[in-house]
Structure formats: C-alpha cells, structure tokens
Amino acid sequence: MDTDPTDGRGGPGADAFRGSEPAGGGPRRVLLVDDEPGAADLAATHVERLVDRVETVTRTAPADALDVVREERVDCVVSDYNMPGTDGLELLEAVRAIDPGLPFVLFTGRGSEEIASEAISAGVTDYLQNGVGRDRYEILANSVENALDRRRAERDLREVNAKVTAIHEFATEVAAAESADEVFERVVGAAEGILEFDRCVTARRLDDRLVPTARSANVGEDEVRTFDLGEGVVGTTAAEERTIVVDNLSVDPADPDDLEDPETPSGASPSEEGGRREGSDGGDDGDADASADGAELADPVADNIRSAISVPIGSYGVFQAVSDGYAAFDEGDVEFAELLAAHAADALEQLETENALRAERDKLSAFFRDLPLPVIRTAPAEGADRRIDATNEAFEETFGLSEADHGYEEIHDAIIPEGSDPIDASGVLEDGEPVRREVRRQTTDGLRDFILNVIPVDRSEETIVYNVYADIDDQKRVERTLRRLHETTREMFRGGDREEVAALATRAAIDILEFPSSGVRLYDPETDALLPTAISEEATEALGERPAFGPGDGRLWEAFETGEPIVVDDLDAVDTAIGYGEHRSLLVVPLGDHGVMPLGSREPGFFDDTAVQLARVLGANVTVALNHAQRTAQLRERDAELQREIDRLEKFAGLVSHDLRNPLNVAAGRLGIARSAVDDGEALDELDRIGDAHDRMEELIDDLLALARQGRTVDELETVSLADAAARAWQTVDTADATLDPPGSSLTVEADPERLRTLLENLFTNSVEHGSNPAPDAGGVTVSVGALPDGFYVADDGAGFDIDPEEATEYGTSSDPRGTGFGLAIVREIAAAHGWEFEVVDGDGARFEFRTGD
C-alpha cells in the first residue's frame, strides 16, 4: 500500500501506462482518496485483502490524487465525497478530464439522494455509502473488483475492435500494393503493429521452394533460410495450405527438460504436451498423433525458438511468427493471423491479375470478354471526346449496360454518382501510365465500392484505355458495419433496462449485420432458464412462439454454459434437442452471464467467418451494455429504497406532530376548564392525575418526533471536538452529583454537531438515571468519554443493565416505569444515520461503543 504523496511519480513518460493492465499479469493499482488518512488506509487494507492482484495507493488531498492519475498508472479510483476544497464529484470531473475511461467509485459516509443522483448523472462507476454494516468493505471490494473487471473487459473489447478495424484498414492498404514483395513486407509490418508479434517472417513460394522475403527487425539474417516444399513447418504449411501451431518444441530431443511444459507435471510426455497441429479451420485433426505433429515437423534455424505459428498466404507463401516462450500464441492470435494472411492472399491474387494485365496488355483483347472482373474499354473519338470501344460480360452483368446499346456519355452518367471526382482521361493518355483509385459506382445492386485500374494500351492506330473494376464493396461494408455497431453500442448505454438493450441488439443484428433473424435470451436464475426476452418478428415468423430453455436444451444452452459461440451450418444434418422451425443455419453468441444471442437463417451455411466475427463484436458490445444496465438498475433500486425510507419518516413525523399533538392540546385545554369548575378536593386530585398523564403523553410525543428526526440520513458532516460536544451536552442534563470524565481535546469525529450533542445527552441521562447506586452512602456515578482505535465510547461505573442490553435500545423498552424507552433508541438511530456501528457492552457499568470508521 503506497501512502507517500511523492512516491512512484514517473514523469511525462508515465502516460504510456494509462488505460492498460499491468504487464505480465502484475497487480492492478487502486487509488484511494480520503482527507482522513485513517479512513483511506483502512479501506486500502480491506481492498488489498479482498481483491486479488491489487496494490493500493492512498492520498489525502485531491490535488495529490490528480498528480497520481496524471503521472502514474491507475486502474481504479475510490474517493470520499466531502473533502476540503474539492469534493468527490469535482475530483471525478478532474480525473475524467485526464482519463475518460478510468473507473471511479464514490465511497462516502455522508450519503443522500441528492449526492447519489449527482453521482449517477456525473457518470460515477459506483456509489457506495460507508454505512454501519460490517460488510461495507466487502461491498467496496466487490465494487472495485467489478470495476477493474469491467475495465479489463472494455479494454479487451477495444483491443478486439481496434484489431478488427486495423486489419480491415490493412486490407485496403495491402490491396494498393504494387508488388508481391510489398505485400509480404506489409504482412510483417501489420503483424508487428496490430498483432504485436515481434519475431515474424514471410516466405514466398517460388516453384517448390519457400524463400524468405520479409522479416522483423528482431529476426537476424542468420535466423532464416530457404525451405523445400513439404520440409519443416514452413514447407508443410505451404504444401498443405493449412495453419500449424507449435506450443512446445525442443532443439535438443535428448534433453527432456526442453520438452516439458513448465506448468505440466514432469510425468507428462512430449507427445501429450508437445506441439499442436491445426487445420485452416482452426479445428483439431482428430488424429491421435496430431498433437505432436507440429513439434516433429519443426526444423528451426535459431536455437531459442520454443513455440511458433505458421499460416499459409493462399498458395503464394507462408507467414510465420516465433517465440522463445511456451504456448505463446492463443486462438485469437491464430484467428487474426489467418485473417491477415487471407487479405494478403487476396491482394496477391489481385496483383497477379493486374500483373497479368500489364504483362499481356498487347494480348488483352484476346481474353477481354472472359475476364471475370468488369472491364470497359474506351477509344478516341472526334476531338477530345471518347467513345465506348467494348464492354465485357462481367461489366454488363455488374452495371446492366453495354457498348451495343449505350453510348459513352450515357454509361458515364449512369454509373458515376453525382459529385464524384472524375479521373482525368487526358492525363492518363499523356503520361501513358496506369492509374489506380478507389471509387464508388452505381451498379444493378446499388452503389458499390471498387478499385478502378485505368490502363492505357498503345496500339498502332490509337491508344485505348481499359477501365478494370475490382469489387471491394464487401470490405467497405464491413468497415461501415463496424462504425454502425459502435454507434449502436453508445445507444445501448443510453438505454434503460436490460430488456431495452436486448431489443436494440436484436434489431442491430438484422438492420446492421443483415442477419435474417435474431433474438436475445436473458438468463433467469430463479427458473434456471434462458427466457425469450427479445425475439425479432423475422425469427417469430420462422420459428413460431418460443418457450424458455434450460439445461440440456440444445445449442443455446451449450453456448451459454461454455461461453463460446456455436455455429451449425445445416440443422437438418444434425440431431437437435429442440426444433428450429424453418431455420437451416444457426449461430449462437454468448452474452457472458446474461444469456445468449441466437441468430438464424433459412439458408444452410449462411454464417461465414466474417459473419461470425461481426456477431462476436456485437455480442461483446451487448454484454458490456447489459452489465451497465444491470448496475444502473441496482443503483435506481437503492435510490428508491432510500426515498421510501425518507417518505416513511416524514409520514411518521407528521402523524406524531399533527394527529396526536392536536387532540392532546384539546384535552389539556378541557382539563383546565374542568379544574376551574370543580371545588371538590378528591375530584381535583383525579384531575391532577389526568394532567400527569397528559404530561406523560407530551413527553412521549417529543421523544417520538426526536426519534423520527434523528433517523434521517446525515447530509452535512463537520469535524467536531468530542470534548467540546461532551461539555455542552453535560450542561443540558440534570446530572445531580454525577461526574464527567471528558476525553482529550485532540479527539475529533466527523458528525452533525447538533445530533451528536443529542446522542450524548441521551447517554448521559441514561447513565445518571439508571446507573446511580441506590445505597445512601454511595457516591455519584462517573461518566467517561474516550477514544477507540476506530471511533469513541461513552461508559459509566454504575449498576449496569437489569435488562438485556440489546433490548434496551429497542423502542419503548425501559427498566424505569416512568421512562419512555426512547432514549437509547434515539442513540441507535443517530448512530445509524451517521453510518456508525453501535454496540452496547454490559459489564462493570454500562458501556456504549461507536465505530465511525475514521
């Protein structure tokens, strides 16, 4: 626990830590801010004890706390509300200005509905009242752990989204590469920058050999070599065009220590804990010897390679990343590496096509019409005009236009949207060099995105221009889809309860991802079932009304239980525990502990890799939104309970003050009239007894009103000298011959001064009235006020309790027939209103202990 205000400041370079988890799974840092050092240290001690992998930093001044947030890595802030100069919400605003995503828990002893409402509106992660319960620090620790886990989940989600977005940007960039070597170099650069692999190499396939083409700066020239097709992991990856992942290989098979997983008992054999072999679909081969296949194939050049991932780049080559650590590459690494390689293969395929066009430009006309890409060929017309020379079949199918039926201007105006930046045809003709540009064109299916290659070809009589279109609309659509998913996620966070989040997610799957049908099932712990919370109209039409599903009910429950997405390409070809109506394809995305998101289609094999990836992004966003909605609902429920308590006390005080006191006043007035009209002595004695009863009722009403007032939550706290408060209270009590032993002048407590004085008055009165020794020669009772390690006490040396001490604090309980029984009850309510723990100790006299948590 770090309590030094100057310790650990890392200067400007420390900004690199902001928003990240500690490296290597180290402790997460929690900053606790409270102007009372003891309170901050106590909370820090509990948080470190109750939350795994946490170290705490405490500060007593908001300015020092901001320095920590600004200059060091902080994963969560826990702050008191009432602090000199800057309160907790002002500190929240300053913290969020530095790090908008930093979790902030307001943990304060002075709670109120106004503060709770302001905290929620300000975007506080959690609002906790430092109450009297012994579990308040368990609640704080749980809140901190939830905030840290949510920050980690949000960070993981951001990383996944960032990687997906970056990979799609890579796809656009690599599609613009002008050579195969540039593609291979871009793959290494993307693997380093996006996937954070630091030892990578790409090898290009030339006939039956794999030749190193690009490598990381951390890979020396002596660490790479040429492999024959089928030789080693690299050669086998290229020959079989499948991904191979090696978790554990040894360059010295004679040394068994090199073959062992450091986390595996020494009895495990290399074949059990050795390499892992995966096909291009990422699944196991099912072969008993498959687990050792990668390690057996490995023929590393460097001596410090322990694990590796080898991914085919289509039929063009191989991408490989290596590490000196055991099992350094997980399934996510495999998935993203395969996606990089797939985009690179597409770019190489596109380059291959383009190179073929350039190499064969004089022969292009021979296969012009059979080219699968849309192509339109233009030739010079009179003056500076152009004319359509030819269109191929792919062009006619894509745009619905041909040279036979449409002229140059007609085709130009029909396919180029208004406002588009046209390509300067005269400039292309003057330079004689091809032009490559990303464009949007109107097709028979609507606007689509293309890479347009404008290729001038000289002929003896004229220069013709080929306009070759490569469709990239799917890629652009994915980028637009990701942006819309982010917008929908923000809308989910602005939504209300979990049902509204589920409804938004259901429509997003259809309207944004264009899935045929969707739904969200939320888990109900009371029935142990997944309830059909939001089912789209499309899903209802295909499936009919759906019941709740529980354990064993097919793929939906399996995805919820395992936390892994499940894809079924053809429901008719597999046995299912439940019916899926007219659906043939099924994708079930888990939503953490909240439930699942089932997606369906009437087409078999509908959900390809891209669809699954986008659905997982949506599912991750929905999970975070459901977490937020659940926490918001809990805060609203707690606020409503607090308001009900306040309303109850208001109603009670009104009843006592008005409905009881008014009739009592009438009775007292009538009694005065009766006294003036009666002369009989016995009758007057009876009337005096009635007056005594009235006085008794007045006393009870006063105590009931005090009890109602004192039970309210304390809104304003001050640092109060306990010695001064005790002296003032002692002066207002009829102490007879009792003696006060006051505390030291340095003892202070955070409290409402008037209500603290009321508490002491009631305790002093109780000691004087109930603690005095009835013996004639006995001296007066001594009442002492003193400090506890975490609070204070009031005690006397009197006779103690003649009833159960706990019962003595209940309403209306008193050992004195003349007492109202509300004195200690008022003490208990005042303590609860401050958030203090109150305990009665019956020993040599009576002792009342208050643990304030200060």
Side-chain angles (χ1 to χ4, degrees):
M1 182 166 59
D2 174 13
T3 59
D4 184 354
T6 62
D7 184 40
R9 295 182 180 175
D15 280 344
F17 292 105
R18 183 169 300 123
S20 66
E21 285 280 344
R28 300 164 289 180
R29 303 187 85 222
V30 179
L31 170 63
L32 297 102
V33 189
D34 196 314
D35 60 317
E36 177 59 42
D41 290 343
L42 181 61
T45 299
H46 281 282
V47 168
E48 286 191 352
R49 181 172 58 85
L50 296 172
V51 182
D52 293 335
R53 297 196 310 106
V54 161
E55 67 177 19
T56 59
V57 182
T58 61
R59 295 293 183 268
T60 57
D64 292 339
L66 284 175
D67 286 342
V68 174
V69 174
R70 189 178 295 108
E71 299 175 6
E72 302 179 30
R73 178 180 57 74
V74 175
D75 300 304
C76 181
V77 177
V78 178
S79 174
D80 189 15
Y81 176 81
N82 189 34
M83 295 179 289
T86 302
D87 65 28
L89 295 183
E90 292 170 341
L91 178 60
L92 167 64
E93 183 178 0
V95 166
R96 289 287 168 79
I98 299 171
D99 186 355
L102 184 61
F104 192 103
V105 177
L106 198 62
F107 182 61
T108 177
R110 76 167 262 245
S112 70
E113 64 173 335
E114 290 84 5
I115 294 175
S117 177
E118 288 178 21
I120 294 171
S121 300
V124 71
T125 304
D126 203 354
Y127 171 82
L128 301 176
Q129 193 170 337
N130 187 356
V132 298
R134 291 190 174 94
D135 62 346
R136 65 188 186 277
Y137 290 111
E138 284 80 356
I139 295 174
L140 171 63
N142 184 61
S143 176
V144 169
E145 187 168 31
N146 288 340
L148 290 171
D149 291 344
R150 183 163 58 251
R151 182 165 171 85
R152 182 191 300 115
E154 291 170 350
R155 181 211 63 200
D156 292 342
L157 177 59
R158 287 195 302 270
E159 290 179 356
V160 169
N161 287 344
K163 284 184 179 180
V164 171
T165 302
I167 288 175
H168 283 291
E169 291 174 354
F170 161 80
T172 301
E173 294 169 358
V174 78
E178 297 181 357
S179 67
D181 285 351
E182 183 181 350
V183 172
F184 286 107
E185 289 172 358
R186 285 181 179 268
V187 171
V188 171
E192 292 174 328
I194 301 174
L195 306 187
E196 299 179 354
F197 296 165
D198 61 355
R199 298 178 66 188
C200 312
V201 64
T202 53
R204 185 176 181 182
R205 179 175 176 178
L206 299 176
D207 296 324
D208 290 333
R209 296 182 66 77
L210 280 302
V211 179
T213 306
R215 52 187 169 86
S216 300
N218 291 337
V219 178
E221 187 174 355
D222 58 343
E223 294 183 71
V224 296
R225 69 177 177 85
T226 299
F227 284 82
D228 290 332
L229 190 65
E231 178 190 4
V233 173
V234 174
T236 303
T237 299
E240 300 180 9
E241 291 189 23
R242 66 177 176 90
T243 296
I244 297 177
V245 181
V246 182
D247 283 341
N248 187 18
L249 63 86
S250 172
V251 297
D252 184 7
D255 184 357
D257 291 336
D258 282 351
L259 292 168
E260 289 180 3
D261 173 358
E263 301 299 327
T264 301
S266 58
S269 68
S271 63
E272 294 169 337
E273 299 295 333
R276 181 174 72 249
R277 174 182 180 178
E278 297 184 355
S280 58
D281 61 353
D284 294 335
D285 288 347
D287 186 351
D289 295 328
S291 62
D293 186 78
E296 292 171 358
L297 290 170
D299 185 13
V301 179
D303 293 338
N304 61 346
I305 295 176
R306 188 80 182 276
S307 57
I309 176 175
S310 187
V311 182
I313 305 177
S315 60
Y316 303 98
V318 172
F319 162 76
Q320 188 174 80
V322 299
S323 172
D324 59 359
Y326 170 83
F329 305 100
D330 59 22
E331 294 180 0
D333 294 329
V334 174
E335 183 178 351
F336 284 123
E338 289 179 336
L339 192 56
L340 276 180
H343 287 309
D346 291 342
L348 289 167
E349 182 178 8
Q350 184 172 301
L351 271 174
E352 192 174 66
T353 301
E354 294 171 0
N355 289 336
L357 287 174
R358 294 188 183 95
E360 301 293 332
R361 62 175 57 183
D362 290 335
K363 301 178 181 179
L364 191 57
S365 298
F367 60 92
F368 170 72
R369 294 194 176 277
D370 296 327
L371 193 68
L373 300 177
V375 183
I376 180 171
R377 188 170 66 203
T378 65
E382 294 183 4
D385 293 335
R386 305 288 296 174
R387 62 180 174 82
I388 301 298
D389 183 62
T391 55
N392 70 351
E393 184 178 349
F395 184 92
E396 296 166 10
E397 292 177 352
T398 301
F399 298 102
L401 303 166
S402 68
E403 88 284 357
D405 302 318
H406 307 87
Y408 178 85
E409 293 295 334
E410 186 178 3
I411 292 179
H412 180 278
D413 294 342
I415 70 172
I416 300 178
E418 185 176 351
S420 297
D421 185 17
I423 294 176
D424 183 8
S426 60
V428 174
L429 293 172
E430 289 177 8
D431 296 340
E433 294 294 330
V435 172
R436 177 188 178 88
R437 180 180 296 180
E438 185 177 313
V439 299
R440 176 166 284 192
R441 293 291 183 259
Q442 184 69 46
T443 72
T444 56
D445 295 329
L447 285 173
R448 296 182 68 85
D449 292 295
F450 296 88
I451 293 293
L452 171 60
N453 290 277
V454 182
I455 306 171
V457 177
D458 291 328
R459 294 198 299 204
S460 57
E461 69 282 4
E462 60 184 357
T463 299
I464 60 174
V465 176
Y466 290 91
N467 295 271
V468 183
Y469 289 91
D471 194 336
I472 59 169
D473 191 69
D474 288 342
Q475 172 187 317
K476 286 294 182 181
R477 179 175 57 82
V478 169
E479 295 174 1
R480 292 191 293 270
T481 297
L482 287 173
R483 287 194 295 269
R484 291 182 65 190
L485 283 180
H486 295 328
E487 294 170 1
T488 300
T489 301
R490 289 193 290 269
E491 185 178 358
M492 291 179 190
F493 270 82
R494 293 192 297 267
D497 54 24
R498 297 200 310 161
E499 287 70 20
E500 292 182 38
V501 172
L504 287 170
T506 298
R507 288 316 311 171
I510 293 176
D511 298 339
I512 298 177
L513 302 186
E514 299 180 357
F515 294 155
S517 71
S518 69
V520 170
R521 286 178 170 269
L522 297 182
Y523 176 67
D524 179 19
E526 293 185 2
T527 59
D528 192 25
L530 296 168
L531 305 183
T533 308
I535 306 298
S536 68
E537 295 178 2
E538 295 84 349
T540 302
E541 181 181 346
L543 300 170
E545 294 298 327
R546 307 297 281 169
F549 293 142
D553 285 342
R555 266 62 173 188
L556 274 67
W557 186 266
E558 182 182 346
F560 174 67
E561 193 170 46
T562 63
E564 295 294 332
I566 290 180
V567 181
V568 181
D569 289 331
D570 190 351
L571 289 164
D572 289 351
V574 298
D575 294 330
T576 58
I578 58 175
Y580 293 94
E582 299 175 8
H583 280 164
R584 291 286 301 278
S585 298
L586 177 68
L587 168 59
V588 188
V589 180
L591 305 176
D593 295 334
H594 299 285
V596 296
M597 188 171 193
L599 308 162
S601 171
R602 290 181 170 89
E603 300 178 21
F606 179 86
F607 298 103
D608 58 15
D609 292 342
T610 300
V612 173
Q613 190 176 52
L614 291 174
R616 294 182 69 170
V617 172
L618 174 60
N621 291 346
V622 174
T623 302
V624 174
L626 288 171
N627 288 336
H628 174 76
Q630 186 178 51
R631 185 57 188 158
T632 300
Q634 291 171 349
L635 288 175
R636 288 174 179 167
E637 182 178 348
R638 185 171 63 186
D639 291 343
E641 180 61 31
L642 177 62
Q643 186 60 50
R644 286 194 294 271
E645 178 66 14
I646 292 173
D647 294 342
R648 182 186 66 79
L649 292 172
E650 292 287 353
K651 183 176 181 182
F652 177 72
L655 172 67
V656 172
S657 179
H658 182 272
D659 294 354
L660 294 183
R661 194 183 293 277
N662 285 350
L664 181 59
N665 291 337
V666 172
R670 292 294 183 185
L671 179 60
I673 295 172
R675 277 198 181 98
S676 64
V678 174
D679 293 329
D680 181 77
E682 292 184 4
L684 287 173
D685 288 342
E686 292 299 328
L687 291 177
D688 288 340
R689 291 188 179 92
I690 294 174
D692 292 341
H694 287 171
D695 293 340
R696 174 67 171 167
M697 293 172 67
E698 183 73 27
E699 184 180 357
L700 286 169
I701 289 173
D702 288 341
D703 282 350
L704 285 170
L705 285 172
L707 184 65
R709 288 194 299 271
Q710 306 307 335
R712 297 174 185 270
T713 301
V714 176
D715 292 330
E716 297 294 336
L717 294 177
E718 299 179 15
T719 301
V720 182
S721 167
L722 200 58
D724 292 345
R728 289 195 299 270
W730 190 259
Q731 293 173 357
T732 62
V733 175
D734 183 6
T735 58
D737 57 353
T739 303
L740 174 66
D741 181 13
S745 59
S746 63
L747 180 58
T748 62
V749 63
E750 295 295 316
D752 180 310
E754 291 304 317
R755 295 169 79 176
L756 176 60
R757 188 175 71 176
T758 301
L759 177 144
L760 294 171
E761 288 172 350
N762 279 275
L763 290 175
F764 293 163
T765 300
N766 181 82
S767 292
V768 171
E769 292 180 353
H770 299 279
S772 299
N773 194 321
D777 299 331
V781 67
T782 297
V783 181
S784 59
V785 180
L788 294 173
D790 55 352
F792 66 95
Y793 70 87
V794 177
D796 64 56
D797 59 357
F801 291 93
D802 53 6
I803 62 174
D804 183 87
E806 294 298 327
E807 292 183 9
T809 63
E810 299 296 328
Y811 307 134
T813 301
S814 176
S815 61
D816 186 350
R818 296 170 300 172
T820 63
F822 287 104
L824 294 184
I826 291 173
V827 170
R828 185 190 64 193
E829 292 297 332
I830 294 174
H834 283 81
W836 301 339
E837 291 185 13
F838 172 45
E839 184 177 2
V840 182
V841 180
D842 184 17
D844 294 331
R847 181 182 174 94
F848 307 91
E849 297 182 349
F850 302 87
R851 288 174 172 80
T852 64
D854 295 338

